[in-house]
Amino acid sequence: MFDRIGWNWAKWLVTIGAICGLCASLLGAMFPLPRIIYAMASDGLIFEWMGKISSRFHTPLMGTFSAGLLTGMLAAIFELTQLVNMMSMGTLLAYSIVAICVLILRYEESEAYEKNGDPNRNTFKFIMKQLINGNKLNYSTKLTSEIVTCLVLCYVILCIFIGMMVSLFAGEITTGRIAFVIPLAILVLVLILILIFIYLQPTSGKKLPFSVPLVPFLPALSILINIYLMMMLDKMTWVRFLIWMAVGLGIYFCYGVWHSKTKRSTKPSENDANPEEETWKNDYSPRNK
């Protein structure tokens, strides 16, 4: 724009600023990725050699090397537009996951879960009444948390269908064709109904210094917009994304899930004895008699 109106000094000023901004962005991207690889390798989610620390510089050497090699290969193979679309897909997916987690965590089971539970709380009638909080629960329970999780899953699926309809049949919808407008209106109404059901559920009693406002409507709007933008990306971006996810999930299920140190540390050891069982053994053992 500045070049067209003859402001060459402004053009060069903006160019220098853009170069500085890109360098800062690239430098900021270089630091976290090797450390993420190091953290995953330390836990065993990916190959342990990728978490090797340099004895001289005390930095994740193999993580930096593998991240740089992979980045360079992708930059050499794909065009810039393809990489930008892949980055957009990953960013939108990450934001959608964050919004989904906000919804689920806000309605997770409270620490003050009732000790004497209602014996009829798992009946179909009780669950149906709980959709509109007809049971007058003032705190979230395991049941209400599971209901919200199922409702969020249904909400995401409906958002995918709505995004597909709007992206594929935008022309027919804008012209007001009944065959496309009515199904879209029904999906939107069901979407609003699900949000109302989520809103009526009791929230978690956990006290936080800051919490997202307007839950569930603000995270739900974020999910809807992100999924719609994802559906607007071209088909080849989806193909590349699915291949990338298949490779990552393949590594996780074939290697990471079996070598995770966190999973092994949380699994009870066979040698760990039950305290009640130990008490029984001490009280009734022949030696004590």
Side-chain angles (χ1 to χ4, degrees):
M1 180 186 68
F2 289 129
D3 187 44
R4 288 181 64 88
I5 63 176
W7 289 14
N8 291 327
W9 62 271
K11 177 185 71 173
W12 288 110
L13 186 64
V14 172
T15 302
I16 294 172
I19 292 174
C20 294
L22 285 173
C23 291
S25 177
L26 290 173
L27 189 64
M30 284 173 59
F31 278 97
L33 182 56
R35 282 145 183 84
I36 291 172
I37 295 175
Y38 163 75
M40 295 175 68
S42 299
D43 181 54
L45 290 175
I46 55 177
F47 312 109
E48 292 189 6
W49 60 266
M50 299 181 73
K52 183 179 179 181
I53 299 295
S54 172
S55 58
R56 179 182 177 186
F57 300 104
H58 304 285
T59 56
L61 177 65
M62 298 307 298
T64 305
F65 176 76
S66 56
L69 181 63
L70 181 61
T71 304
M73 290 176 58
L74 292 176
I77 294 173
F78 296 103
E79 296 179 358
L80 180 61
T81 304
Q82 297 170 343
L83 292 175
V84 169
N85 288 338
M86 283 291 293
M87 184 188 68
S88 300
M89 177 72 77
T91 304
L92 292 171
L93 179 63
Y95 288 164
S96 300
I97 292 174
V98 170
I100 291 171
C101 291
V102 168
L103 284 175
I104 293 176
L105 292 176
R106 182 62 60 88
Y107 295 93
E108 68 177 348
E109 181 181 354
S110 296
E111 296 177 356
Y113 176 60
E114 74 270 13
K115 304 300 180 182
N116 300 320
D118 189 342
N120 298 319
R121 65 185 180 86
N122 289 326
T123 62
F124 180 78
K125 181 180 179 181
F126 189 91
I127 295 173
M128 290 297 102
K129 286 179 63 178
Q130 186 55 41
L131 287 176
I132 57 173
N133 201 12
N135 302 307
K136 307 299 182 182
L137 296 179
N138 297 321
Y139 47 85
S140 59
T141 64
K142 183 178 180 181
L143 175 64
T144 61
S145 176
E146 291 174 350
I147 289 175
V148 170
T149 302
C150 294
L151 290 174
V152 170
L153 177 61
C154 295
Y155 179 85
V156 172
I157 294 174
L158 284 175
C159 286
I160 293 174
F161 281 111
I162 291 175
M164 291 177 62
M165 284 192 64
V166 175
S167 61
L168 295 176
F169 308 107
E172 289 81 356
I173 293 172
T174 53
T175 55
R177 294 185 59 179
I178 302 299
F180 297 94
V181 173
I182 292 180
L184 181 63
I186 293 174
L187 291 177
V188 171
L189 288 175
V190 175
L191 205 68
I192 296 173
L193 187 63
I194 289 176
L195 281 180
I196 293 174
F197 288 157
I198 295 175
Y199 176 75
L200 293 175
Q201 302 306 312
T203 58
S204 174
K206 184 179 295 185
K207 301 298 182 181
L208 299 172
F210 173 79
S211 58
V212 178
L214 301 177
V215 175
F217 303 106
L218 187 60
L221 181 62
S222 174
I223 295 170
L224 179 61
I225 294 174
N226 290 335
I227 292 178
Y228 166 72
L229 293 175
M230 291 169 66
M231 293 300 170
M232 295 299 292
L233 295 172
D234 59 277
K235 296 179 181 178
M236 291 308 301
T237 300
W238 277 96
V239 172
R240 287 186 287 269
F241 171 73
L242 292 176
I243 294 174
W244 185 265
M245 290 297 296
V247 172
L249 291 175
I251 295 174
Y252 174 73
F253 285 111
C254 295
Y255 181 87
V257 73
W258 307 106
H259 295 81
S260 174
K261 296 177 182 177
T262 303
K263 179 184 177 182
R264 290 200 298 267
S265 64
T266 56
K267 186 181 293 184
S269 174
E270 295 179 358
N271 298 325
D272 293 343
N274 189 348
E276 295 181 358
E277 184 178 348
E278 286 293 320
T279 303
W280 183 88
K281 287 182 180 179
N282 293 332
D283 292 342
Y284 297 99
S285 62
R287 184 179 62 185
N288 291 339
K289 289 183 178 181

